[in-house]
Amino acid sequence: MKVLVINAGSSSLKYQLMDPATREVFAKGLCERIGIDGRLTHKVPAKDAKYEFEIPMPTHSEAIQAVLNALVDKDNGVIGSMQEIDAVGHRIVQGGKYFDRSVLIDDDVVAKIDELAELAPLHNKAALMGIEACREQMPGKPMVAVFDTSFFQTIPPKAYMYPLPYELYEKHAIRKYGAHGTSHRYEWMMAKEILGSRCHRLLSCHLGNGASLAAIEDGVCRDTTMGLTPLDGLMMGTRCGSIDPATVCYLQREGGYSYQEVDDMMNKQSGLLAISGISNDARDIRTRASEGDERCLLAFDMFAYKAMQQAGSMIASMAGVDTITFTAGIGENSAELRELIFDGLAHMGMI
Ligand code: ADP
Protein backbone atom coordinates (compact mmCIF):
# COMPACT_ATOMS: atom_id res chain seq x y z
CA MET A 1 0.00 0.00 0.00
CA LYS A 2 1.25 3.50 -0.84
CA VAL A 3 0.01 6.48 1.15
CA LEU A 4 0.94 10.05 0.36
CA VAL A 5 1.22 11.97 3.63
CA ILE A 6 0.99 15.74 3.31
CA ASN A 7 1.78 18.27 6.00
CA ALA A 8 1.05 21.75 4.73
CA GLY A 9 2.59 24.30 7.13
CA SER A 10 2.40 28.05 6.94
CA SER A 11 5.44 28.52 4.71
CA SER A 12 6.43 24.95 3.99
CA LEU A 13 4.93 21.68 2.84
CA LYS A 14 6.39 18.35 3.84
CA TYR A 15 5.42 15.07 2.22
CA GLN A 16 6.20 11.37 2.25
CA LEU A 17 5.07 8.57 0.01
CA MET A 18 5.15 5.57 2.31
CA ASP A 19 3.84 2.14 3.19
CA PRO A 20 2.18 2.52 6.61
CA ALA A 21 2.45 -1.22 7.35
CA THR A 22 6.20 -1.59 6.73
CA ARG A 23 7.03 2.12 7.32
CA GLU A 24 9.05 2.02 4.10
CA VAL A 25 9.42 5.52 2.69
CA PHE A 26 9.56 5.54 -1.12
CA ALA A 27 10.07 9.29 -1.45
CA LYS A 28 9.93 12.30 0.80
CA GLY A 29 10.62 15.94 0.59
CA LEU A 30 10.02 19.49 1.48
CA CYS A 31 8.69 22.56 -0.29
CA GLU A 32 10.12 25.62 1.41
CA ARG A 33 9.70 29.37 1.23
CA ILE A 34 6.15 29.12 -0.08
CA GLY A 35 4.91 32.65 -0.67
CA ILE A 36 8.49 33.94 -0.75
CA ASP A 37 9.98 32.22 -3.83
CA GLY A 38 9.84 28.41 -3.71
CA ARG A 39 12.25 25.49 -3.37
CA LEU A 40 11.59 21.77 -3.61
CA THR A 41 13.92 19.22 -2.05
CA HIS A 42 12.90 15.71 -3.14
CA LYS A 43 14.59 12.60 -1.72
CA VAL A 44 14.44 8.97 -2.78
CA PRO A 45 15.87 6.95 0.16
CA ALA A 46 16.27 3.68 -1.81
CA LYS A 47 18.64 5.40 -4.24
CA ASP A 48 20.10 7.64 -1.55
CA ALA A 49 19.27 10.41 -3.99
CA LYS A 50 18.40 14.04 -3.37
CA TYR A 51 17.06 16.44 -5.99
CA GLU A 52 16.67 20.17 -5.58
CA PHE A 53 14.54 22.44 -7.71
CA GLU A 54 13.83 26.16 -7.65
CA ILE A 55 10.13 26.34 -8.55
CA PRO A 56 7.96 29.43 -8.07
CA MET A 57 5.41 28.61 -5.34
CA PRO A 58 3.19 31.61 -4.75
CA THR A 59 0.71 29.34 -2.93
CA HIS A 60 0.43 25.79 -1.64
CA SER A 61 -1.31 24.72 -4.85
CA GLU A 62 1.85 25.14 -6.88
CA ALA A 63 3.75 23.29 -4.15
CA ILE A 64 1.47 20.20 -4.36
CA GLN A 65 1.69 20.28 -8.14
CA ALA A 66 5.49 20.25 -7.91
CA VAL A 67 5.42 17.31 -5.45
CA LEU A 68 3.16 15.22 -7.69
CA ASN A 69 5.34 15.99 -10.71
CA ALA A 70 8.44 14.87 -8.81
CA LEU A 71 6.77 11.59 -7.75
CA VAL A 72 5.89 10.60 -11.33
CA ASP A 73 8.94 12.12 -13.02
CA LYS A 74 10.05 9.72 -15.74
CA ASP A 75 13.73 9.85 -14.73
CA ASN A 76 13.75 10.34 -10.95
CA GLY A 77 10.18 9.45 -9.96
CA VAL A 78 9.19 6.49 -7.77
CA ILE A 79 5.79 5.70 -9.31
CA GLY A 80 4.57 5.39 -12.89
CA SER A 81 1.33 7.27 -12.34
CA MET A 82 -0.95 8.73 -9.69
CA GLN A 83 -2.96 5.48 -9.78
CA GLU A 84 -0.27 3.83 -7.65
CA ILE A 85 -1.11 6.13 -4.73
CA ASP A 86 -3.75 4.26 -2.70
CA ALA A 87 -4.68 7.05 -0.28
CA VAL A 88 -3.67 10.50 0.89
CA GLY A 89 -3.36 11.65 4.51
CA HIS A 90 -3.60 15.35 5.31
CA ARG A 91 -2.48 16.92 8.54
CA ILE A 92 -5.07 19.48 9.65
CA VAL A 93 -4.27 21.92 12.44
CA GLN A 94 -7.72 22.78 13.80
CA GLY A 95 -10.48 20.23 14.33
CA GLY A 96 -12.30 22.41 16.89
CA LYS A 97 -15.42 20.93 18.43
CA TYR A 98 -16.15 18.77 15.36
CA PHE A 99 -13.30 16.31 15.25
CA ASP A 100 -11.91 14.21 18.09
CA ARG A 101 -10.37 11.64 15.71
CA SER A 102 -9.14 11.22 12.13
CA VAL A 103 -11.85 11.08 9.44
CA LEU A 104 -12.32 10.24 5.77
CA ILE A 105 -12.55 13.49 3.81
CA ASP A 106 -15.83 14.32 2.05
CA ASP A 107 -17.55 17.61 1.16
CA ASP A 108 -18.95 17.95 4.66
CA VAL A 109 -15.51 17.51 6.25
CA VAL A 110 -14.04 20.07 3.83
CA ALA A 111 -16.81 22.54 4.75
CA LYS A 112 -16.14 22.06 8.48
CA ILE A 113 -12.37 22.46 8.04
CA ASP A 114 -13.12 25.66 6.13
CA GLU A 115 -15.50 26.86 8.86
CA LEU A 116 -12.80 26.20 11.47
CA ALA A 117 -10.23 28.17 9.45
CA GLU A 118 -11.08 31.26 11.46
CA LEU A 119 -9.41 29.47 14.41
CA ALA A 120 -6.26 28.65 12.38
CA PRO A 121 -6.16 31.15 9.53
CA LEU A 122 -2.67 30.28 8.24
CA HIS A 123 -3.06 26.51 8.42
CA ASN A 124 -6.56 25.22 7.70
CA LYS A 125 -6.62 27.30 4.50
CA ALA A 126 -3.21 25.93 3.49
CA ALA A 127 -4.40 22.37 4.16
CA LEU A 128 -7.58 22.99 2.17
CA MET A 129 -5.50 24.11 -0.79
CA GLY A 130 -3.59 20.85 -0.47
CA ILE A 131 -6.82 18.83 -0.31
CA GLU A 132 -8.35 20.63 -3.28
CA ALA A 133 -5.20 20.25 -5.38
CA CYS A 134 -5.08 16.49 -4.59
CA ARG A 135 -8.79 16.08 -5.36
CA GLU A 136 -8.22 17.72 -8.74
CA GLN A 137 -5.18 15.61 -9.55
CA MET A 138 -6.46 12.33 -8.09
CA PRO A 139 -10.26 12.37 -8.21
CA GLY A 140 -11.93 9.66 -6.13
CA LYS A 141 -8.77 8.85 -4.17
CA PRO A 142 -9.54 8.19 -0.48
CA MET A 143 -8.19 11.01 1.66
CA VAL A 144 -8.02 11.17 5.44
CA ALA A 145 -7.82 14.26 7.65
CA VAL A 146 -5.67 13.88 10.78
CA PHE A 147 -6.28 16.66 13.29
CA ASP A 148 -3.65 18.24 15.51
CA THR A 149 -6.17 19.15 18.15
CA SER A 150 -7.20 15.59 19.03
CA PHE A 151 -3.96 14.96 20.99
CA PHE A 152 -4.88 17.72 23.43
CA GLN A 153 -8.22 16.28 24.52
CA THR A 154 -6.51 15.10 27.74
CA ILE A 155 -5.64 18.62 28.92
CA PRO A 156 -7.62 19.28 32.12
CA PRO A 157 -10.24 22.06 32.32
CA LYS A 158 -8.06 24.18 34.62
CA ALA A 159 -5.57 24.38 31.75
CA TYR A 160 -7.88 24.62 28.75
CA MET A 161 -10.50 27.04 30.13
CA TYR A 162 -10.01 30.78 29.75
CA PRO A 163 -11.12 33.00 32.65
CA LEU A 164 -13.67 34.73 30.41
CA PRO A 165 -17.49 34.86 30.83
CA TYR A 166 -18.56 31.22 31.01
CA GLU A 167 -21.19 31.56 28.29
CA LEU A 168 -18.44 32.17 25.74
CA TYR A 169 -17.34 28.59 26.35
CA GLU A 170 -20.91 27.31 26.23
CA LYS A 171 -22.05 29.30 23.17
CA HIS A 172 -18.87 29.65 21.15
CA ALA A 173 -16.67 26.84 22.47
CA ILE A 174 -13.96 29.38 23.35
CA ARG A 175 -11.15 27.42 25.04
CA LYS A 176 -7.61 26.21 24.45
CA TYR A 177 -7.40 23.58 21.70
CA GLY A 178 -3.66 23.50 21.05
CA ALA A 179 -1.97 22.73 17.74
CA HIS A 180 0.98 20.65 16.43
CA GLY A 181 -0.63 17.65 18.19
CA THR A 182 0.51 15.04 15.67
CA SER A 183 4.05 16.34 16.03
CA HIS A 184 4.00 16.33 19.85
CA ARG A 185 2.44 12.85 19.89
CA TYR A 186 5.24 11.61 17.63
CA GLU A 187 7.89 13.23 19.84
CA TRP A 188 6.47 11.31 22.78
CA MET A 189 6.42 8.03 20.84
CA MET A 190 10.01 8.45 19.67
CA ALA A 191 11.30 9.49 23.11
CA LYS A 192 9.60 6.45 24.63
CA GLU A 193 10.99 4.16 21.95
CA ILE A 194 14.52 5.42 22.56
CA LEU A 195 14.49 5.92 26.36
CA GLY A 196 11.91 3.42 27.56
CA SER A 197 11.05 3.73 31.25
CA ARG A 198 13.55 6.59 31.67
CA CYS A 199 11.08 8.83 29.79
CA HIS A 200 8.29 9.89 32.11
CA ARG A 201 7.79 13.65 31.97
CA LEU A 202 8.54 15.04 28.52
CA LEU A 203 8.88 18.65 27.43
CA SER A 204 8.23 18.45 23.72
CA CYS A 205 9.49 21.43 21.67
CA HIS A 206 8.23 22.00 18.14
CA LEU A 207 10.24 24.97 16.89
CA GLY A 208 9.62 25.84 13.27
CA ASN A 209 8.04 28.76 11.49
CA GLY A 210 5.13 27.88 13.76
CA ALA A 211 6.30 26.94 17.27
CA SER A 212 4.79 25.35 20.36
CA LEU A 213 5.68 23.40 23.48
CA ALA A 214 3.78 20.56 25.12
CA ALA A 215 3.98 19.01 28.59
CA ILE A 216 3.45 15.25 28.23
CA GLU A 217 3.35 12.96 31.25
CA ASP A 218 3.36 9.22 30.54
CA GLY A 219 1.91 9.90 27.09
CA VAL A 220 -0.88 12.11 28.45
CA CYS A 221 -0.74 15.73 27.40
CA ARG A 222 -1.07 18.05 30.44
CA ASP A 223 -0.75 21.43 28.74
CA THR A 224 0.50 23.17 25.64
CA THR A 225 1.41 26.72 24.65
CA MET A 226 -0.98 27.22 21.72
CA GLY A 227 -4.54 28.13 22.56
CA LEU A 228 -7.87 28.70 20.87
CA THR A 229 -5.77 29.29 17.76
CA PRO A 230 -2.13 28.65 16.80
CA LEU A 231 -1.44 32.34 17.41
CA ASP A 232 -0.92 31.88 21.15
CA GLY A 233 2.22 30.92 23.02
CA LEU A 234 5.73 31.28 21.66
CA MET A 235 7.06 34.01 19.38
CA MET A 236 7.06 32.52 15.87
CA GLY A 237 8.13 33.26 12.29
CA THR A 238 5.32 35.73 11.55
CA ARG A 239 3.06 35.27 14.61
CA CYS A 240 3.38 37.29 17.79
CA GLY A 241 2.47 34.54 20.27
CA SER A 242 1.23 35.61 23.72
CA ILE A 243 0.84 39.35 24.19
CA ASP A 244 -1.34 41.43 26.50
CA PRO A 245 -4.82 40.85 25.02
CA ALA A 246 -5.68 44.50 25.67
CA THR A 247 -3.27 45.37 22.83
CA VAL A 248 -5.88 44.13 20.36
CA CYS A 249 -8.56 46.48 21.70
CA TYR A 250 -6.09 49.33 22.03
CA LEU A 251 -4.93 49.09 18.41
CA GLN A 252 -8.51 49.17 17.15
CA ARG A 253 -9.68 51.89 19.53
CA GLU A 254 -6.66 54.21 19.59
CA GLY A 255 -4.58 53.13 16.58
CA GLY A 256 -7.44 53.23 14.06
CA TYR A 257 -6.67 49.74 12.76
CA SER A 258 -9.53 47.54 11.57
CA TYR A 259 -10.14 44.11 13.02
CA GLN A 260 -8.75 42.56 9.79
CA GLU A 261 -5.62 44.69 9.92
CA VAL A 262 -4.91 43.69 13.51
CA ASP A 263 -5.56 40.03 12.69
CA ASP A 264 -3.17 40.15 9.70
CA MET A 265 -0.61 42.05 11.75
CA MET A 266 -0.54 39.46 14.52
CA ASN A 267 -0.58 36.41 12.23
CA LYS A 268 1.46 37.50 9.23
CA GLN A 269 3.53 40.57 10.10
CA SER A 270 4.78 39.85 13.62
CA GLY A 271 7.27 37.48 15.26
CA LEU A 272 10.79 37.07 13.87
CA LEU A 273 9.77 38.93 10.70
CA ALA A 274 8.63 42.03 12.58
CA ILE A 275 11.54 42.26 15.00
CA SER A 276 14.30 41.42 12.49
CA GLY A 277 12.73 43.64 9.83
CA ILE A 278 14.11 41.36 7.12
CA SER A 279 12.65 37.85 7.17
CA ASN A 280 10.70 35.19 9.04
CA ASP A 281 13.38 32.65 8.14
CA ALA A 282 15.72 31.93 11.07
CA ARG A 283 18.60 31.22 8.67
CA ASP A 284 18.37 34.67 7.05
CA ILE A 285 18.23 36.24 10.51
CA ARG A 286 21.21 34.19 11.73
CA THR A 287 23.32 35.39 8.82
CA ARG A 288 22.49 39.05 9.45
CA ALA A 289 22.89 38.68 13.22
CA SER A 290 26.41 37.34 12.72
CA GLU A 291 27.15 40.49 10.72
CA GLY A 292 26.12 42.53 13.76
CA ASP A 293 22.58 43.54 12.75
CA GLU A 294 21.04 44.65 16.06
CA ARG A 295 17.42 43.91 15.22
CA CYS A 296 18.32 40.41 14.08
CA LEU A 297 20.23 39.86 17.33
CA LEU A 298 17.18 41.11 19.26
CA ALA A 299 14.87 38.80 17.26
CA PHE A 300 17.03 35.81 18.23
CA ASP A 301 17.22 36.86 21.87
CA MET A 302 13.47 37.38 22.10
CA PHE A 303 12.69 34.04 20.46
CA ALA A 304 14.94 32.22 22.91
CA TYR A 305 13.78 34.19 25.97
CA LYS A 306 10.09 33.60 25.36
CA ALA A 307 10.64 29.93 24.62
CA MET A 308 12.70 29.60 27.84
CA GLN A 309 9.98 31.30 29.91
CA GLN A 310 7.19 29.15 28.53
CA ALA A 311 9.30 25.99 28.85
CA GLY A 312 9.45 26.82 32.57
CA SER A 313 5.66 27.02 32.66
CA MET A 314 5.23 23.67 30.88
CA ILE A 315 7.71 22.03 33.26
CA ALA A 316 5.77 23.42 36.25
CA SER A 317 2.54 21.91 34.89
CA MET A 318 4.19 18.45 35.16
CA ALA A 319 6.02 19.29 38.41
CA GLY A 320 9.31 18.41 36.75
CA VAL A 321 10.88 17.10 33.58
CA ASP A 322 13.20 14.25 32.67
CA THR A 323 13.25 14.40 28.88
CA ILE A 324 13.31 17.21 26.33
CA THR A 325 12.81 16.65 22.60
CA PHE A 326 13.14 19.06 19.69
CA THR A 327 11.63 18.97 16.25
CA ALA A 328 10.77 21.19 13.23
CA GLY A 329 13.13 23.40 11.24
CA ILE A 330 14.69 25.40 14.08
CA GLY A 331 14.43 22.69 16.76
CA GLU A 332 16.17 20.09 14.63
CA ASN A 333 18.82 22.28 13.03
CA SER A 334 19.77 25.18 15.26
CA ALA A 335 21.99 24.00 18.12
CA GLU A 336 22.61 27.66 18.84
CA LEU A 337 18.96 28.43 19.55
CA ARG A 338 18.51 25.23 21.54
CA GLU A 339 21.43 26.30 23.71
CA LEU A 340 20.17 29.87 24.09
CA ILE A 341 16.77 28.60 25.23
CA PHE A 342 18.10 26.15 27.79
CA ASP A 343 20.90 28.36 29.15
CA GLY A 344 18.10 30.14 31.00
CA LEU A 345 16.94 26.90 32.62
CA ALA A 346 20.38 25.77 33.80
CA HIS A 347 19.34 26.52 37.40
CA MET A 348 16.91 23.59 37.14
CA GLY A 349 19.80 21.25 36.57
CA MET A 350 19.63 21.22 32.79
CA ILE A 351 22.86 20.97 30.91
P1 ADP B 1 6.77 25.30 9.29
O1 ADP B 1 6.17 25.73 10.60
O2 ADP B 1 6.47 26.25 8.18
O3 ADP B 1 6.53 23.85 8.94
P2 ADP B 1 9.58 24.45 9.53
O4 ADP B 1 9.44 23.39 10.54
O5 ADP B 1 9.92 24.02 8.14
O6 ADP B 1 8.34 25.47 9.50
O7 ADP B 1 10.72 25.43 10.04
C1 ADP B 1 11.09 26.56 9.31
C2 ADP B 1 12.13 27.32 10.13
O8 ADP B 1 13.27 26.46 10.39
C3 ADP B 1 12.64 28.54 9.39
O9 ADP B 1 12.74 29.64 10.30
C4 ADP B 1 14.04 28.11 8.97
O10 ADP B 1 14.92 29.19 8.89
C5 ADP B 1 14.44 27.20 10.12
N1 ADP B 1 15.56 26.34 9.73
C6 ADP B 1 15.59 25.38 8.78
N2 ADP B 1 16.85 24.85 8.66
C7 ADP B 1 17.62 25.52 9.57
C8 ADP B 1 19.00 25.46 9.95
N3 ADP B 1 19.86 24.62 9.37
N4 ADP B 1 19.42 26.31 10.94
C9 ADP B 1 18.58 27.19 11.52
N5 ADP B 1 17.26 27.30 11.21
C10 ADP B 1 16.79 26.48 10.25
Side-chain angles (χ1 to χ4, degrees):
M1 190 180 194
K2 292 190 176 79
V3 174
L4 178 62
V5 180
I6 290 176
N7 176 3
S10 43
S11 70
S12 69
L13 185 149
K14 300 185 179 89
Y15 63 94
Q16 285 195 356
L17 184 68
M18 62 165 327
D19 183 331
T22 63
R23 282 188 172 184
E24 184 184 354
V25 175
F26 307 105
K28 63 178 180 177
L30 168 68
C31 300
E32 287 177 285
R33 299 175 66 90
I34 299 172
I36 303 174
D37 37 37
R39 181 189 308 150
L40 170 63
T41 307
H42 181 71
K43 293 181 184 168
V44 179
K47 287 201 230 166
D48 202 18
K50 177 175 164 182
Y51 310 95
E52 288 177 309
F53 310 94
E54 303 285 330
I55 302 171
M57 296 173 186
T59 72
H60 291 69
S61 267
E62 289 80 10
I64 292 274
Q65 185 67 58
V67 170
L68 294 175
N69 288 343
L71 290 173
V72 301
D73 184 83
K74 66 176 169 34
D75 298 320
N76 308 320
V78 292
I79 48 174
S81 78
M82 305 297 177
Q83 303 313 317
E84 292 181 44
I85 300 174
D86 296 292
V88 182
H90 291 271
R91 174 238 180 166
I92 314 289
V93 165
Q94 182 55 262
K97 60 184 176 186
Y98 294 126
F99 303 105
D100 60 2
R101 68 201 66 193
S102 303
V103 293
L104 203 57
I105 297 174
D106 58 16
D107 289 342
D108 181 52
V109 170
V110 167
K112 288 196 166 87
I113 295 171
D114 195 26
E115 185 190 323
L116 292 165
E118 57 196 54
L119 296 177
L122 299 185
H123 293 95
N124 275 28
K125 291 281 183 197
L128 281 173
M129 281 190 263
I131 291 171
E132 288 310 319
C134 289
R135 282 176 135 191
E136 275 166 33
Q137 299 296 324
M138 299 175 277
K141 195 79 74 190
M143 290 201 270
V144 171
V146 179
F147 298 93
D148 265 18
T149 43
S150 62
F151 182 61
F152 302 112
Q153 294 301 308
T154 52
I155 293 178
K158 67 181 175 188
Y160 75 63
M161 287 299 292
Y162 292 144
L164 286 167
Y166 199 79
E167 63 263 28
L168 295 183
Y169 171 66
E170 292 174 316
K171 278 194 202 149
H172 301 290
I174 301 290
R175 51 159 283 184
K176 175 184 285 207
Y177 289 105
H180 292 151
T182 47
S183 173
H184 290 299
R185 182 192 287 121
Y186 185 73
E187 285 194 63
W188 166 260
M189 283 161 51
M190 290 312 293
K192 199 68 191 158
E193 199 171 305
I194 294 165
L195 296 171
S197 59
R198 281 183 293 156
C199 180
H200 171 48
R201 286 175 293 193
L202 170 71
L203 171 67
S204 164
C205 308
H206 178 116
L207 305 176
N209 195 44
S212 69
L213 309 175
I216 307 171
E217 199 174 353
D218 294 326
V220 175
C221 188
R222 299 288 181 210
D223 207 348
T224 188
T225 53
M226 283 179 167
L228 173 73
T229 75
L231 181 59
D232 201 6
L234 305 181
M235 173 176 171
M236 302 176 225
T238 62
R239 279 169 267 170
C240 56
S242 303
I243 56 168
D244 180 347
T247 314
V248 178
C249 309
Y250 184 88
L251 286 173
Q252 291 180 66
R253 194 183 66 239
E254 306 294 330
Y257 296 97
S258 68
Y259 143 73
Q260 192 59 53
E261 283 170 329
V262 176
D263 192 48
D264 279 353
M265 210 186 279
M266 293 190 301
N267 274 293
K268 299 180 184 166
Q269 298 154 24
S270 295
L272 289 171
L273 173 67
I275 301 301
S276 73
I278 58 149
S279 174
N280 59 307
D281 193 296
R283 287 164 293 194
D284 295 346
I285 300 172
R286 180 72 202 86
T287 305
R288 291 285 284 272
S290 62
E291 291 160 7
D293 185 298
E294 289 198 1
R295 279 182 53 182
C296 288
L297 283 165
L298 176 62
F300 250 64
D301 268 0
M302 283 175 67
F303 184 91
Y305 178 74
K306 287 166 193 304
M308 178 271 289
Q309 269 195 325
Q310 293 181 44
S313 151
M314 290 295 111
I315 291 168
S317 72
M318 298 184 285
V321 63
D322 48 64
T323 309
I324 302 172
T325 52
F326 291 91
T327 193
I330 296 171
E332 287 167 29
N333 297 299
S334 179
E336 187 186 8
L337 266 171
R338 290 197 301 262
E339 197 175 331
L340 267 177
I341 293 169
F342 285 98
D343 267 358
L345 296 173
H347 62 92
M348 288 184 179
M350 286 181 208
I351 319 165

